[in-house]
Amino acid sequence: MELQPVKFYQTGTFTVGNRLLDEGERTVQANMHRTNSLNSGHRACQGCGEALGARYAIDAAMRATRNQLIAVNATGCLEVFSTPYPETSWQIPWMHSLFGNAAAVASGVAAAMRIKGRGDVRVVAQGGDGGTTDIGFGCLSGMFERNDDVLYLCYDNEAYMNTGVQRSSATPPAARTATTANVGAEPGNVFGTGKNVPLIAMAHNIPYVATASVANLRDLEAKVTRAMALRGARYIHIHVPCPLGWGSAPADTIRLARLAVESGLFPLFEAERGEITGRTCIRRKVPVETYLRPQKRFAHLFSPEPDVERIALIQATADRNIGRFRLTD
Ligand SMILES: Cc1ncc(C[n+]2csc(CCOP(=O)(O)OP(=O)(O)O)c2C)c(N)n1
Ligand code: SF4
Protein backbone atom coordinates (compact mmCIF):
# COMPACT_ATOMS: atom_id res chain seq x y z
CA MET A 1 0.00 0.00 0.00
CA GLU A 2 1.30 3.40 -0.89
CA LEU A 3 1.80 5.60 2.16
CA GLN A 4 0.55 9.13 2.15
CA PRO A 5 3.39 11.62 2.65
CA VAL A 6 3.22 13.71 5.83
CA LYS A 7 2.00 17.19 4.96
CA PHE A 8 3.74 19.95 6.88
CA TYR A 9 1.15 22.43 5.78
CA GLN A 10 1.93 24.79 8.65
CA THR A 11 5.63 25.08 7.94
CA GLY A 12 6.71 28.63 7.27
CA THR A 13 3.46 30.20 8.39
CA PHE A 14 2.37 31.84 11.59
CA THR A 15 -0.64 29.58 12.08
CA VAL A 16 0.78 26.82 14.17
CA GLY A 17 -1.95 24.50 15.44
CA ASN A 18 -2.67 24.72 19.15
CA ARG A 19 -1.76 21.09 19.71
CA LEU A 20 1.81 21.81 18.63
CA LEU A 21 2.29 24.59 21.18
CA ASP A 22 3.00 24.73 24.88
CA GLU A 23 -0.13 25.23 26.92
CA GLY A 24 0.77 28.80 27.81
CA GLU A 25 1.10 29.74 24.16
CA ARG A 26 -2.20 28.33 22.98
CA THR A 27 -4.98 30.61 21.81
CA VAL A 28 -7.92 31.49 24.00
CA GLN A 29 -10.08 29.27 21.81
CA ALA A 30 -8.09 26.23 22.96
CA ASN A 31 -9.20 26.91 26.52
CA MET A 32 -12.23 24.92 27.59
CA HIS A 33 -13.19 27.76 29.93
CA ARG A 34 -13.14 30.46 27.29
CA THR A 35 -16.13 32.76 27.39
CA ASN A 36 -17.22 32.00 23.84
CA SER A 37 -18.45 35.59 23.71
CA LEU A 38 -19.78 35.30 20.17
CA ASN A 39 -21.65 32.05 20.28
CA SER A 40 -22.67 29.71 17.49
CA GLY A 41 -25.97 30.16 15.70
CA HIS A 42 -25.27 33.57 14.22
CA ARG A 43 -25.88 34.22 10.53
CA ALA A 44 -22.48 35.20 9.18
CA CYS A 45 -21.58 33.82 5.75
CA GLN A 46 -19.40 30.75 5.57
CA GLY A 47 -15.75 31.77 5.91
CA CYS A 48 -16.56 35.22 7.31
CA GLY A 49 -13.31 36.78 8.54
CA GLU A 50 -15.17 39.36 10.59
CA ALA A 51 -16.94 36.71 12.69
CA LEU A 52 -13.63 34.95 13.30
CA GLY A 53 -11.79 38.15 14.19
CA ALA A 54 -14.52 39.32 16.55
CA ARG A 55 -14.68 35.96 18.31
CA TYR A 56 -10.95 35.95 19.02
CA ALA A 57 -10.70 39.64 19.86
CA ILE A 58 -13.61 39.71 22.29
CA ASP A 59 -12.71 36.40 23.96
CA ALA A 60 -9.19 37.75 24.49
CA ALA A 61 -10.58 41.01 25.90
CA MET A 62 -12.85 39.01 28.22
CA ARG A 63 -9.91 37.00 29.49
CA ALA A 64 -7.81 40.14 29.99
CA THR A 65 -10.57 41.87 31.98
CA ARG A 66 -11.68 38.83 33.98
CA ASN A 67 -14.99 39.02 32.13
CA GLN A 68 -15.70 42.62 33.19
CA LEU A 69 -16.41 43.88 29.69
CA ILE A 70 -19.11 45.82 27.86
CA ALA A 71 -19.13 45.96 24.06
CA VAL A 72 -20.69 48.69 21.93
CA ASN A 73 -21.28 47.75 18.29
CA ALA A 74 -21.74 50.01 15.29
CA THR A 75 -24.28 49.01 12.64
CA GLY A 76 -22.87 46.60 10.09
CA CYS A 77 -22.47 42.92 9.31
CA LEU A 78 -21.20 42.00 12.78
CA GLU A 79 -24.21 43.60 14.40
CA VAL A 80 -26.73 42.30 11.88
CA PHE A 81 -25.59 38.70 11.67
CA SER A 82 -25.19 38.35 15.44
CA THR A 83 -28.44 39.94 16.64
CA PRO A 84 -31.46 39.41 14.40
CA TYR A 85 -34.23 40.55 16.77
CA PRO A 86 -35.14 38.96 19.18
CA GLU A 87 -32.10 36.69 19.14
CA THR A 88 -28.47 37.28 20.02
CA SER A 89 -25.24 35.33 19.77
CA TRP A 90 -23.46 37.55 22.29
CA GLN A 91 -22.72 36.12 25.71
CA ILE A 92 -21.64 39.49 27.10
CA PRO A 93 -23.26 42.88 27.83
CA TRP A 94 -23.53 44.25 24.31
CA MET A 95 -25.12 47.41 22.93
CA HIS A 96 -25.99 48.37 19.40
CA SER A 97 -25.77 52.10 18.87
CA LEU A 98 -26.04 53.74 15.45
CA PHE A 99 -23.91 53.29 12.36
CA GLY A 100 -21.63 56.24 13.08
CA ASN A 101 -21.54 56.79 16.85
CA ALA A 102 -20.12 53.61 18.45
CA ALA A 103 -17.00 55.45 19.67
CA ALA A 104 -19.09 58.21 21.29
CA VAL A 105 -21.49 55.75 22.93
CA ALA A 106 -18.58 53.68 24.23
CA SER A 107 -17.00 56.85 25.64
CA GLY A 108 -20.27 57.52 27.47
CA VAL A 109 -20.44 53.98 28.84
CA ALA A 110 -16.85 54.25 30.09
CA ALA A 111 -17.62 57.60 31.76
CA ALA A 112 -20.73 56.13 33.40
CA MET A 113 -18.71 53.21 34.76
CA ARG A 114 -16.13 55.60 36.18
CA ILE A 115 -18.78 57.77 37.88
CA LYS A 116 -20.39 54.67 39.36
CA GLY A 117 -17.04 53.64 40.83
CA ARG A 118 -16.86 50.64 38.50
CA GLY A 119 -13.54 51.42 36.85
CA ASP A 120 -12.94 47.66 36.78
CA VAL A 121 -15.57 47.33 34.04
CA ARG A 122 -13.85 47.93 30.71
CA VAL A 123 -15.36 49.02 27.42
CA VAL A 124 -14.74 48.07 23.80
CA ALA A 125 -16.33 49.57 20.71
CA GLN A 126 -16.35 47.71 17.41
CA GLY A 127 -17.41 48.28 13.85
CA GLY A 128 -16.65 47.68 10.20
CA ASP A 129 -14.39 49.86 8.07
CA GLY A 130 -17.33 51.92 6.79
CA GLY A 131 -18.55 52.62 10.32
CA THR A 132 -15.01 53.42 11.41
CA THR A 133 -13.07 55.10 8.62
CA ASP A 134 -16.02 56.99 7.11
CA ILE A 135 -19.23 57.69 8.99
CA GLY A 136 -17.90 57.15 12.54
CA PHE A 137 -14.59 58.85 11.93
CA GLY A 138 -15.41 62.12 13.71
CA CYS A 139 -16.65 60.34 16.84
CA LEU A 140 -13.56 58.11 16.75
CA SER A 141 -11.16 61.04 16.47
CA GLY A 142 -12.96 62.73 19.38
CA MET A 143 -12.60 59.58 21.47
CA PHE A 144 -8.87 59.56 20.67
CA GLU A 145 -8.40 63.27 21.34
CA ARG A 146 -10.12 63.06 24.76
CA ASN A 147 -8.16 59.86 25.49
CA ASP A 148 -11.36 58.12 26.60
CA ASP A 149 -10.82 54.74 28.22
CA VAL A 150 -12.07 52.61 25.31
CA LEU A 151 -10.52 50.01 23.03
CA TYR A 152 -11.89 50.50 19.52
CA LEU A 153 -11.76 47.45 17.22
CA CYS A 154 -12.17 48.05 13.49
CA TYR A 155 -12.89 44.95 11.41
CA ASP A 156 -11.66 45.95 7.99
CA ASN A 157 -13.26 43.95 5.17
CA GLU A 158 -12.58 46.83 2.81
CA ALA A 159 -16.16 47.83 1.92
CA TYR A 160 -19.67 48.34 3.27
CA MET A 161 -20.53 44.67 3.11
CA ASN A 162 -23.78 44.54 5.04
CA THR A 163 -25.64 46.69 2.54
CA GLY A 164 -24.28 45.02 -0.59
CA VAL A 165 -20.59 45.83 -1.06
CA GLN A 166 -20.38 49.59 -1.46
CA ARG A 167 -16.99 51.29 -1.61
CA SER A 168 -15.56 52.74 1.63
CA SER A 169 -12.43 54.80 2.20
CA ALA A 170 -10.72 51.50 3.11
CA THR A 171 -11.50 49.89 -0.26
CA PRO A 172 -8.22 49.21 -2.07
CA PRO A 173 -7.41 50.61 -5.50
CA ALA A 174 -8.81 48.63 -8.46
CA ALA A 175 -11.23 46.61 -6.30
CA ARG A 176 -14.66 46.22 -7.83
CA THR A 177 -17.62 47.09 -5.64
CA ALA A 178 -21.29 47.91 -6.29
CA THR A 179 -20.44 51.62 -6.41
CA THR A 180 -17.23 51.68 -8.47
CA ALA A 181 -16.90 51.72 -12.24
CA ASN A 182 -17.72 48.36 -13.79
CA VAL A 183 -16.50 49.15 -17.26
CA GLY A 184 -14.16 51.58 -18.95
CA ALA A 185 -10.40 51.93 -19.10
CA GLU A 186 -9.90 51.45 -15.36
CA PRO A 187 -12.73 49.45 -13.77
CA GLY A 188 -12.87 49.21 -9.98
CA ASN A 189 -11.90 51.63 -7.26
CA VAL A 190 -9.79 54.65 -8.10
CA PHE A 191 -6.11 54.91 -7.21
CA GLY A 192 -6.62 57.75 -4.75
CA THR A 193 -4.45 58.94 -1.90
CA GLY A 194 -5.86 56.35 0.54
CA LYS A 195 -6.85 56.80 4.17
CA ASN A 196 -4.70 54.97 6.69
CA VAL A 197 -6.65 55.09 9.94
CA PRO A 198 -4.00 53.30 12.08
CA LEU A 199 -1.52 56.03 11.12
CA ILE A 200 -4.15 58.71 11.76
CA ALA A 201 -4.81 57.13 15.16
CA MET A 202 -1.07 57.26 15.87
CA ALA A 203 -1.07 60.96 15.04
CA HIS A 204 -3.40 61.44 18.05
CA ASN A 205 -0.56 60.10 20.27
CA ILE A 206 -2.96 57.69 21.98
CA PRO A 207 -1.57 55.00 24.31
CA TYR A 208 -1.88 52.10 21.85
CA VAL A 209 -2.47 51.46 18.14
CA ALA A 210 -2.03 48.15 16.33
CA THR A 211 -2.89 46.40 13.12
CA ALA A 212 -3.80 42.70 13.22
CA SER A 213 -5.12 40.03 10.92
CA VAL A 214 -7.11 36.82 11.14
CA ALA A 215 -4.05 35.31 9.45
CA ASN A 216 -2.31 35.40 12.82
CA LEU A 217 -4.84 34.86 15.58
CA ARG A 218 -2.34 34.51 18.41
CA ASP A 219 -0.86 37.85 17.43
CA LEU A 220 -4.36 39.35 17.42
CA GLU A 221 -5.01 37.98 20.91
CA ALA A 222 -1.66 39.28 22.17
CA LYS A 223 -2.43 42.76 20.84
CA VAL A 224 -5.89 42.80 22.45
CA THR A 225 -4.32 41.63 25.72
CA ARG A 226 -1.69 44.38 25.52
CA ALA A 227 -4.37 46.97 24.77
CA MET A 228 -6.47 45.89 27.75
CA ALA A 229 -3.47 46.26 30.05
CA LEU A 230 -3.43 49.98 29.22
CA ARG A 231 -5.88 52.76 30.03
CA GLY A 232 -7.04 55.51 27.71
CA ALA A 233 -7.90 55.42 24.03
CA ARG A 234 -6.68 52.37 22.12
CA TYR A 235 -7.23 51.25 18.55
CA ILE A 236 -6.76 47.92 16.74
CA HIS A 237 -7.39 47.67 12.99
CA ILE A 238 -8.05 44.03 12.03
CA HIS A 239 -7.93 42.76 8.45
CA VAL A 240 -10.86 40.38 7.87
CA PRO A 241 -11.48 38.89 4.42
CA CYS A 242 -15.11 38.78 3.28
CA PRO A 243 -15.86 35.95 0.81
CA LEU A 244 -19.10 37.58 -0.34
CA GLY A 245 -17.65 41.01 -1.04
CA TRP A 246 -14.27 39.87 -2.30
CA GLY A 247 -15.60 37.07 -4.50
CA SER A 248 -13.34 34.56 -2.83
CA ALA A 249 -13.84 30.98 -1.73
CA PRO A 250 -14.93 30.70 1.92
CA ALA A 251 -12.13 28.19 2.50
CA ASP A 252 -9.59 30.80 1.34
CA THR A 253 -10.24 33.36 4.08
CA ILE A 254 -7.12 32.63 6.12
CA ARG A 255 -4.97 32.08 3.05
CA LEU A 256 -5.93 35.46 1.61
CA ALA A 257 -5.43 37.20 4.94
CA ARG A 258 -1.96 35.67 5.09
CA LEU A 259 -1.16 36.68 1.50
CA ALA A 260 -2.20 40.27 2.28
CA VAL A 261 0.36 40.28 5.10
CA GLU A 262 3.10 38.44 3.22
CA SER A 263 2.80 40.61 0.12
CA GLY A 264 3.19 43.75 2.23
CA LEU A 265 -0.28 45.07 1.41
CA PHE A 266 -1.40 44.76 5.03
CA PRO A 267 1.55 45.48 7.35
CA LEU A 268 1.33 44.26 10.94
CA PHE A 269 2.67 46.69 13.52
CA GLU A 270 2.14 48.15 16.99
CA ALA A 271 2.63 51.68 18.27
CA GLU A 272 2.51 53.34 21.67
CA ARG A 273 2.04 57.09 22.11
CA GLY A 274 2.67 57.67 18.42
CA GLU A 275 5.87 55.64 18.13
CA ILE A 276 6.18 52.27 16.41
CA THR A 277 7.09 49.66 19.02
CA GLY A 278 6.71 46.42 17.08
CA ARG A 279 6.25 44.97 13.61
CA THR A 280 5.86 41.51 12.14
CA CYS A 281 8.45 40.80 9.51
CA ILE A 282 7.45 39.01 6.33
CA ARG A 283 8.85 35.51 6.20
CA ARG A 284 8.52 34.86 2.48
CA LYS A 285 7.57 37.82 0.37
CA VAL A 286 4.93 37.04 -2.24
CA PRO A 287 4.05 39.17 -5.28
CA VAL A 288 0.76 41.03 -4.95
CA GLU A 289 -0.56 39.06 -7.91
CA THR A 290 -0.73 35.93 -5.74
CA TYR A 291 -3.04 37.78 -3.38
CA LEU A 292 -5.14 39.54 -6.03
CA ARG A 293 -5.72 36.66 -8.44
CA PRO A 294 -8.06 34.44 -6.34
CA GLN A 295 -10.44 37.36 -5.72
CA LYS A 296 -13.21 38.09 -8.22
CA ARG A 297 -13.19 41.78 -7.25
CA PHE A 298 -9.81 41.99 -8.98
CA ALA A 299 -10.61 39.62 -11.91
CA HIS A 300 -10.53 42.52 -14.42
CA LEU A 301 -6.82 42.99 -13.63
CA PHE A 302 -6.06 39.60 -15.18
CA SER A 303 -8.57 39.18 -17.96
CA PRO A 304 -8.75 39.38 -20.94
CA GLU A 305 -5.11 40.61 -20.65
CA PRO A 306 -3.11 41.26 -17.49
CA ASP A 307 -3.32 44.97 -16.60
CA VAL A 308 0.42 45.18 -16.05
CA GLU A 309 0.44 48.88 -15.24
CA ARG A 310 -2.14 48.78 -12.51
CA ILE A 311 -0.75 45.57 -10.99
CA ALA A 312 2.64 47.34 -10.86
CA LEU A 313 1.04 50.28 -9.03
CA ILE A 314 -0.39 47.90 -6.42
CA GLN A 315 3.00 46.18 -6.12
CA ALA A 316 4.55 49.61 -5.55
CA THR A 317 2.14 50.20 -2.65
CA ALA A 318 3.15 46.89 -1.08
CA ASP A 319 6.84 47.67 -1.56
CA ARG A 320 6.37 51.09 -0.02
CA ASN A 321 4.77 49.47 3.07
CA ILE A 322 7.64 46.99 3.29
CA GLY A 323 10.16 49.84 3.25
CA ARG A 324 8.19 52.12 5.54
CA PHE A 325 7.64 49.51 8.26
CA ARG A 326 10.91 47.65 7.59
CA LEU A 327 9.08 44.36 7.08
CA THR A 328 11.93 42.39 5.54
CA ASP A 329 14.87 43.70 7.65
C1 LIG B 1 -26.76 56.68 8.98
C2 LIG B 1 -26.85 55.35 8.29
N1 LIG B 1 -26.55 55.28 6.99
C3 LIG B 1 -26.63 54.08 6.35
C4 LIG B 1 -27.01 52.96 7.03
C5 LIG B 1 -27.11 51.65 6.30
N2 LIG B 1 -26.05 50.74 6.64
C6 LIG B 1 -26.18 49.82 7.60
S1 LIG B 1 -24.88 48.83 7.75
C7 LIG B 1 -24.08 49.60 6.47
C8 LIG B 1 -22.76 49.13 5.97
C9 LIG B 1 -21.78 48.79 7.05
O1 LIG B 1 -20.50 48.72 6.48
P1 LIG B 1 -19.21 48.56 7.38
O2 LIG B 1 -19.21 49.55 8.47
O3 LIG B 1 -18.03 48.57 6.48
O4 LIG B 1 -19.38 47.15 8.06
P2 LIG B 1 -19.53 45.70 7.37
O5 LIG B 1 -20.98 45.47 7.12
O6 LIG B 1 -18.72 45.70 6.12
O7 LIG B 1 -18.96 44.80 8.40
C10 LIG B 1 -24.86 50.65 5.96
C11 LIG B 1 -24.48 51.51 4.83
C12 LIG B 1 -27.31 53.09 8.41
N3 LIG B 1 -27.66 52.04 9.15
N4 LIG B 1 -27.23 54.29 9.01
S1 SF4 C 1 -20.95 39.76 3.86
FE1 SF4 C 1 -18.80 39.47 4.44
S2 SF4 C 1 -18.55 40.48 6.46
FE2 SF4 C 1 -20.75 40.15 6.06
S3 SF4 C 1 -21.25 38.19 7.06
FE3 SF4 C 1 -20.78 37.77 4.89
S4 SF4 C 1 -18.59 37.29 4.84
FE4 SF4 C 1 -19.02 38.30 6.81
Side-chain angles (χ1 to χ4, degrees), residues 16-19 21-38 52-67 69 216-226 228:
V16 178
N18 274 312
R19 70 195 147 70
L21 296 169
D22 288 339
E23 210 163 313
E25 285 181 45
R26 291 178 188 171
T27 66
V28 173
Q29 303 299 317
N31 184 342
M32 275 176 56
H33 304 293
R34 73 178 195 266
T35 48
N36 211 8
S37 314
L38 178 59
L52 183 67
R55 197 157 90 103
Y56 274 75
I58 300 296
D59 276 354
M62 284 288 274
R63 182 169 64 172
T65 58
R66 295 172 191 272
N67 302 347
L69 190 75
N216 193 339
L217 292 165
R218 285 185 301 133
D219 179 66
L220 166 60
E221 286 180 345
K223 285 169 175 167
V224 171
T225 306
R226 172 72 190 138
M228 295 318 291

Side-chain angles (χ1 to χ4, degrees), residues 50 75-78 99 128-131 135 157 159-163:
E50 187 162 294
T75 311
C77 265
L78 181 60
F99 190 17
D129 50 284
I135 188 168
N157 53 24
Y160 294 74
M161 296 308 179
N162 180 58
T163 37

Side-chain angles (χ1 to χ4, degrees), residues 42-51 76-78 81 155 157 159-165 240-246 253:
H42 58 70
R43 300 173 184 191
C45 309
Q46 191 183 17
C48 173
E50 187 162 294
C77 265
L78 181 60
F81 73 61
Y155 302 105
N157 53 24
Y160 294 74
M161 296 308 179
N162 180 58
T163 37
V165 198
V240 292
C242 164
L244 183 135
W246 294 15
T253 290

